[in-house]
Amino acid sequence: MKLAFHGADQGVTGSCHLVECAGRRVLIDCGLYQGQRELVAENVEPFGFDPADLDFVLLTHAHLDHCGRLPLLVRRGFHGEIITTSATRELARLVLLDAGHLQEEEARYHARRAARGGRAEDGQPLYTTLDALNTLDHFGRTVAYGQPLALAPGIRATFLDAGHILGSACIFLELEDGGQQRTLLFSGDLGNCGRPLLRDPTPPPAADVVVMETTYGDRLHKALAPSVQELHAAIADTFGRGGNVVIPTFALERAQELLYYLREGVEAGHLPRTMQVYLDSPMAISATTIFERHPECYDRETAELFRTGRDPLDLPGLHFTRETQESMAINRVGGGAVIMAGAGMCTGGRVRHHLKHNLWRPESSVVFVGYAANGTLARLIIDGASQVQLFGEAIPVRASIHTINGFSAHADQGELLRWHQHTGTPARTFLVHGERETMRRFAALLSHTQVETPTLHQEFAL
Ligand SMILES: [Zn+2]
């Protein structure tokens, strides 16, 4: 029995862990490295194992940093089965096709830029839309939360609700090889308790070995209720000035959660019934439709709303704008609108058009609700830039800028610790999916277990 680490080791992207037992090889996640260029370059490196030797991939959830190297895995010879919850399967289809398309676009962009600079670049994308389509053929069985699945003699897998995004799971493995028995628990990404729509993470069972994420292992989140109030107040103030509110949005869970808070605001009378809300992101619209198809993932309040015929994500003035023409028509709305569009960090996508039309207007607002990495347009605006470049034009920043931090989809330090306590006294705990310093601080809080912070391609006998 062996456990090896091939991604998200002392970093937050590229999740990829390999289990070997009873002659079978099971991969847990196959995520993309995201972020600065050199990190992205890690994606083309060899996996550290032969994809053709794998029997199964178990996917914890559909975020790109957990599933985004699957098309590359297939291109390099994987012919096994990918197993997920049914909601993850639907979201992963959306995410992977979009990723294939973006990889092709990015490759073309870099090739053009290289050509202008007189350099040659092969212009080959990491993978293509066709590779993503081929990957979909490998999605096999789906599993319900809490139902053990016998993968092979000596390997049983149970997916447990991780409460992070729709369909997300922790994966519990029961292994037996030559009379030796071990239980392994992979956290995947853990959700933040008390948020609407999804359930809190299911308390995990005791396990011999735990592999857990540590994204926010060194800090506590701001409370949710004041953040929702802040959002409502920012919108009401902006409408009072006659402007629009632009919210750069991550498509996969933030957009649905925001719709939920906006509906609550209207019902409580904090926001006007006449408010026009534009969800201007084809991917977020698709993700919202998928959300509505998966009642098995809802928390009690959300299930109750649907049961009584009320859609928790529906608002009186909500518009889904899929087509480019519809998106451009929003530019003519002078005030009273909330516009949600991607990309969340404003690195591309339709949100840049809405920023161009609203950033210079003192009556408008831009509300940031997610993580903004250094060097992104979102970060520049948050840090107080007085003007920014958009489509070759210098646009002055006169709108009011808000940053609201209470909407994280990740467990904070306290929640990670409580989750770990449920695992009993594991012989070993492997920390992954966190920055090195964050892991060091979190490790200091764990007693009754031997803590490891594996490096890339490090292998352990179990
Ligand atoms: Zn995630």
Side-chain angles (χ1 to χ4, degrees):
M1 258 185 249
K2 278 192 254 177
L3 171 62
F5 295 86
H6 299 291
D9 308 305
Q10 313 196 349
V12 289
T13 62
S15 278
C16 189
H17 320 301
L18 179 63
V19 176
E20 290 184 52
C21 173
R24 305 294 178 120
R25 289 187 172 80
V26 182
L27 198 67
I28 311 290
D29 288 343
C30 191
L32 195 71
Y33 288 102
Q34 294 172 286
Q36 290 137 358
R37 267 305 259 168
E38 65 268 30
L39 211 58
V40 176
E42 290 179 32
N43 288 310
V44 296
E45 295 295 317
F47 282 104
F49 52 85
D50 185 352
D53 291 342
L54 296 176
D55 298 282
F56 302 99
V57 177
L58 309 182
L59 199 59
T60 61
H61 66 291
H63 273 153
L64 211 52
D65 60 330
H66 290 258
C67 72
R69 274 191 292 165
L70 280 174
L72 198 60
L73 193 77
V74 170
R75 191 191 230 187
R76 292 182 182 171
F78 172 73
H79 48 73
E81 182 185 6
I82 302 169
I83 298 174
T84 66
T85 63
S86 74
T88 295
R89 181 192 175 121
E90 283 203 69
L91 287 177
R93 184 159 42 192
L94 185 70
V95 166
L96 292 176
L97 288 176
D98 185 62
H101 174 69
L102 287 179
Q103 291 289 350
E104 287 179 24
E105 270 194 345
E106 187 153 321
R108 274 195 293 271
Y109 169 78
H110 285 294
R112 271 200 308 272
R113 219 171 60 160
R116 276 201 300 275
R119 288 172 288 119
E121 195 161 307
D122 67 1
Q124 286 304 309
L126 184 64
Y127 52 80
T128 63
T129 308
L130 184 62
D131 294 318
L133 274 169
N134 290 337
T135 306
L136 303 185
D137 292 339
H138 293 270
F139 280 81
R141 286 166 285 181
T142 57
V143 281
Y145 290 130
Q147 304 286 324
L149 177 69
L151 291 180
I155 308 179
R156 229 153 68 115
T158 308
F159 286 55
L160 304 164
D161 196 342
H164 169 60
I165 62 166
L166 190 78
S168 64
C170 307
I171 297 175
F172 182 61
L173 293 181
E174 294 164 275
L175 306 177
E176 188 172 354
D177 193 354
Q180 190 192 18
Q181 292 182 333
R182 288 280 183 280
T183 52
L184 253 75
L185 179 67
F186 293 85
S187 70
D189 282 357
L190 290 167
N192 187 354
C193 293
R195 284 159 69 244
L197 304 177
L198 301 178
R199 290 184 289 261
D200 291 347
T202 299
D208 300 322
V209 176
V210 172
V211 179
M212 74 180 292
E213 67 121 329
T214 47
T215 315
Y216 289 108
D218 60 347
R219 72 197 94 157
L220 299 172
H221 293 319
K222 272 200 203 163
L224 182 61
S227 297
V228 175
Q229 275 169 15
E230 209 179 325
L231 174 69
H232 291 166
I235 295 171
D237 288 352
T238 308
F239 288 177
R241 297 194 303 267
N244 292 321
V245 178
V246 177
I247 310 181
T249 314
F250 295 91
L252 232 44
E253 79 282 350
R254 210 59 53 80
Q256 292 81 43
E257 211 176 313
L258 287 171
L259 287 178
Y260 185 96
Y261 298 133
L262 294 178
R263 180 193 55 80
E264 274 193 334
V266 170
E267 285 181 2
H270 301 148
L271 297 172
R273 286 207 153 266
T274 52
M275 172 174 70
Q276 300 298 299
V277 178
Y278 296 91
L279 186 56
D280 189 27
S281 154
M283 182 139 147
I285 295 168
S286 301
T288 305
T289 314
I290 291 172
F291 185 90
E292 296 186 335
R293 280 205 290 266
H294 288 278
E296 77 279 7
C297 300
Y298 302 162
D299 65 8
R300 204 159 38 81
E301 294 83 354
T302 305
E304 182 62 17
L305 280 170
F306 273 115
R307 206 185 56 75
T308 54
R310 290 156 70 208
D311 183 339
L313 304 182
D314 199 16
L315 287 152
L318 176 61
H319 310 273
F320 287 150
T321 48
R322 264 188 201 277
E323 304 303 324
T324 313
Q325 293 298 332
E326 297 172 310
S327 172
M328 284 161 65
I330 303 171
N331 297 338
R332 294 198 291 272
V333 181
V338 173
I339 305 161
M340 294 192 270
M345 295 195 246
C346 309
T347 45
R350 293 180 176 179
V351 75
R352 291 170 76 92
H353 291 276
H354 300 304
L355 290 174
K356 180 181 161 188
H357 288 276
N358 285 284
L359 262 182
W360 59 274
R361 303 175 62 209
E363 60 273 31
S364 285
S365 296
V366 182
V367 179
F368 292 97
V369 292
Y371 183 73
N374 284 331
T376 60
L377 179 59
R379 175 50 54 195
L380 281 177
I381 298 171
I382 291 168
D383 287 346
S386 59
Q387 68 171 37
V388 296
Q389 286 289 327
L390 281 162
F391 307 103
E393 250 181 83
I395 308 287
V397 180
R398 298 200 196 102
S400 26
I401 308 299
H402 303 260
T403 313
I404 304 180
N405 287 323
F407 298 123
S408 178
H410 277 274
D412 68 7
Q413 186 189 66
E415 290 165 326
L416 289 173
L417 269 180
R418 276 193 294 282
W419 185 86
H420 188 270
Q421 275 160 9
H422 279 285
T423 67
T425 48
R428 271 195 282 187
T429 298
F430 294 90
L431 302 183
V432 294
H433 203 286
E435 300 297 349
R436 198 168 305 179
E437 180 57 22
T438 305
M439 283 183 183
R440 199 187 56 74
R441 290 196 205 170
F442 189 70
L445 304 173
L446 297 179
S447 47
H448 313 301
T449 184
Q450 182 186 331
V451 180
E452 310 270 4
T453 53
T455 52
L456 187 63
H457 304 315
Q458 198 173 358
E459 191 177 275
F460 298 82
L462 297 178

